[in-house]
Amino acid sequence: MISKRASEFTSFIVMDVMAKVEELERKGEHIIHLEVGEPDFPTPAVITEAAIAALRNNRTRYTHALGLLELRQAICETYRQEYGVSITPDQVLVSTGTSPLLLFAMLALLDAGDEVIVSNPRYPCYQNFILAAGGSLQEILTYPEEGFQYRHTDIARKLSRRTKAIVINSPCNPTGIVMTREQMQDIARFDSAYIISDEIYHGLVYRGKAHSILEFTDKAFVINGFSKRYAMTGWRLGYLIFPRKFSAVMQRIHQNFMISANGFIQWAGIAALTQAADDVSAMVATYDERRRFMLERLAGMGFTVHVEPTGAFYVFADGRKLFADSYREAFRITEEAKVGVTPGIDFGSGGEGFLRFSYATSLENLKEGMNRLERYLERKK
Ligand code: PMP
């Protein structure tokens, strides 16, 4: 029998849309993909070259359970340079993407029934990591007009003796919104719980600056990785920064469950952190051009974007003036307009009436996608 726990894991609703996209493509239809959550750019050549060199040099063994010391040092240096914070390599764990690290952070923090606060809407996987570790999901509804940020009073009301952590994500998937310094400080003031700060979209910021939670508190677990900033989704490389007292337990968890992350890919990670800044700048400039284009076109079609998304590569557009059921609408847009989009309901009930559009595709595709969507909406009138 399948365990009760496993049967409760939720799946991405967008997978249903993607199955429909596949079916249409098999029939020879041309679909514009605005549903995808990964960079369309190739990984910068300096990174690929470093991986090839590492393979040629037989860097093909297990590494230290926490990760190569050289990579952990480079991560500490990155956080020092970008945020002025001081962390040491014994506070860093490198793994195969950030996804397993979210699970390991929950395993390190939660006893059965311990509570974790997450916003609604949010990245849909969070709830399953909490569930896997035996924790209890505590949702807080957030509002579009407030940039989907927590209200201080709502957190205060939700906190209990069992609250172990509060999850934040800036720049955010699905909203693309970047938290301000004040918003981060406000969360850091809740010092009875750990803050789990998902910083995987750091580096993809088009105006202002993203802050790390570590600027405001040490009582935090920071999730970060290479998938988005360095266009390395398929490489599977991420890291976790944690308070020093968790060093031994994180090492033990990783030794048992993973042994270590892939050795040669960690060498590529060092190249990413130390040599790929120009490549990232070029990608950021391109994303920004696409972002501005998409915002303008969506507004012209009657979508509302309440707070400007200035990070990641998503626009979370309010379509409540145009439709009510985001799941049905996403399907109709896919089938009739031939544009793949993600329904807002995928991110929780607070996302109903919204669609997530990704601009991780060429400007040419975006133009075609926006034209198709506009014609579809015209026909619907
Ligand atoms: N956090 C967020 C908010 C994400 O969007 C993603 C990827 N979609 C992840 C974490 C996981 O990324 P990875 O496992 O590739 O590091």
Side-chain angles (χ1 to χ4, degrees):
M1 271 302 280
I2 295 166
S3 72
K4 182 168 171 294
R5 178 183 290 165
S7 63
E8 283 172 4
F9 291 144
T10 51
S11 60
F12 283 124
I13 297 175
V14 71
M15 292 299 177
D16 299 345
V17 178
M18 283 162 101
K20 174 55 74 184
V21 168
E22 251 185 67
E23 183 192 315
L24 292 171
E25 284 179 334
R26 262 201 313 273
K27 283 188 198 151
E29 299 272 16
H30 178 262
I31 310 288
I32 300 283
H33 292 272
L34 305 184
E35 78 282 13
V36 285
E38 63 179 331
D40 56 314
F41 297 106
T43 302
V46 277
I47 300 172
T48 309
E49 291 303 328
I52 293 168
L55 277 170
R56 293 224 162 94
N57 291 324
N58 298 316
R59 308 279 196 190
T60 50
R61 302 237 162 116
Y62 297 138
T63 67
H64 189 287
L66 289 178
L68 279 175
L69 180 61
E70 291 86 340
L71 176 56
R72 286 182 289 133
Q73 282 167 336
I75 291 165
C76 295
E77 182 54 22
T78 301
Y79 265 72
R80 193 190 63 74
Q81 279 177 13
E82 294 188 4
Y83 312 106
V85 299
S86 171
I87 49 165
T88 50
D90 58 336
Q91 292 177 262
V92 179
L93 168 61
V94 177
S95 195
T96 50
T98 65
S99 301
L101 291 165
L102 275 158
L103 176 63
F104 299 151
M106 297 299 174
L107 287 178
L109 273 174
L110 304 182
D111 284 313
D114 281 346
E115 297 173 356
V116 180
I117 292 176
V118 297
S119 65
N120 173 9
R122 57 159 178 283
Y123 177 54
C125 297
Y126 293 147
Q127 61 227 40
N128 293 320
F129 296 119
I130 297 165
L131 183 64
S136 160
L137 175 80
Q138 300 291 313
E139 289 188 81
I140 291 183
L141 191 64
T142 55
Y143 303 92
E145 302 76 14
E146 298 167 9
F148 293 104
Q149 299 304 317
Y150 291 110
R151 286 181 183 168
H152 192 88
T153 46
D154 287 344
I155 295 184
R157 219 174 296 132
K158 203 76 164 182
L159 280 176
S160 81
R161 281 204 333 268
R162 303 223 60 176
T163 311
K164 280 290 184 66
I166 303 168
V167 177
I168 59 172
N169 173 214
S170 165
C172 177
N173 176 9
T175 68
I177 292 171
V178 180
M179 289 172 78
T180 63
R181 163 187 286 279
E182 291 71 28
Q183 285 164 341
M184 283 225 155
Q185 272 169 333
D186 198 43
I187 301 282
R189 277 174 29 221
F190 290 107
D191 61 0
S192 65
Y194 287 91
I195 313 299
I196 299 178
S197 179
D198 184 344
E199 304 185 356
I200 192 164
Y201 289 98
H202 274 230
L204 302 184
V205 176
Y206 314 108
R207 238 175 349 92
K209 187 178 182 306
H211 290 282
S212 171
I213 195 67
L214 295 175
E215 295 170 52
F216 313 110
T217 179
D218 294 334
K219 201 171 170 181
F221 284 72
V222 169
I223 301 285
N224 204 333
F226 297 78
S227 290
K228 314 289 176 168
R229 184 182 203 160
Y230 299 104
M232 289 175 70
T233 43
W235 294 67
R236 313 308 301 130
L237 189 64
Y239 56 92
L240 175 72
I241 303 170
F242 45 80
R244 193 163 291 115
K245 70 174 177 192
F246 283 87
S247 196
V249 76
M250 292 317 313
Q251 196 169 329
R252 211 157 58 232
I253 288 174
H254 213 241
Q255 264 167 2
N256 277 283
F257 297 151
M258 307 295 274
I259 302 188
S260 77
N262 320 49
F264 64 95
I265 288 176
Q266 294 187 58
W267 287 101
I270 297 172
L273 292 177
T274 58
Q275 295 172 50
D278 292 345
D279 298 282
V280 172
S281 298
M283 290 190 274
V284 165
T286 307
Y287 282 133
D288 190 28
E289 194 186 354
R290 299 167 177 181
R291 177 185 76 97
R292 283 182 278 119
F293 172 78
M294 188 180 247
L295 283 172
E296 202 181 305
R297 289 297 304 271
L298 289 174
M301 286 179 232
F303 285 96
T304 310
V305 177
H306 298 269
V307 172
E308 186 183 347
T310 55
F313 35 65
Y314 306 112
V315 177
F316 203 50
D318 184 347
R320 286 175 295 181
K321 282 193 222 135
L322 306 166
F323 58 85
D325 181 332
S326 65
Y327 183 78
R328 270 188 44 198
E329 191 64 16
F331 263 89
R332 285 190 58 183
I333 293 175
T334 304
E335 280 183 281
E336 294 178 32
K338 315 277 187 256
V339 178
V341 292
T342 308
I345 190 72
D346 214 1
F347 306 94
S349 58
E352 185 52 300
F354 285 68
L355 293 173
R356 189 194 74 175
F357 295 91
S358 160
Y359 48 88
T361 188
S362 69
L363 200 54
E364 191 190 358
N365 279 342
L366 286 183
K367 282 181 184 159
E368 176 61 20
M370 291 294 111
N371 288 343
R372 289 183 186 185
L373 187 61
E374 190 163 60
R375 286 197 297 269
Y376 160 83
L377 291 170
E378 283 297 322
R379 283 198 301 274
K380 239 179 77 153
K381 271 183 192 162

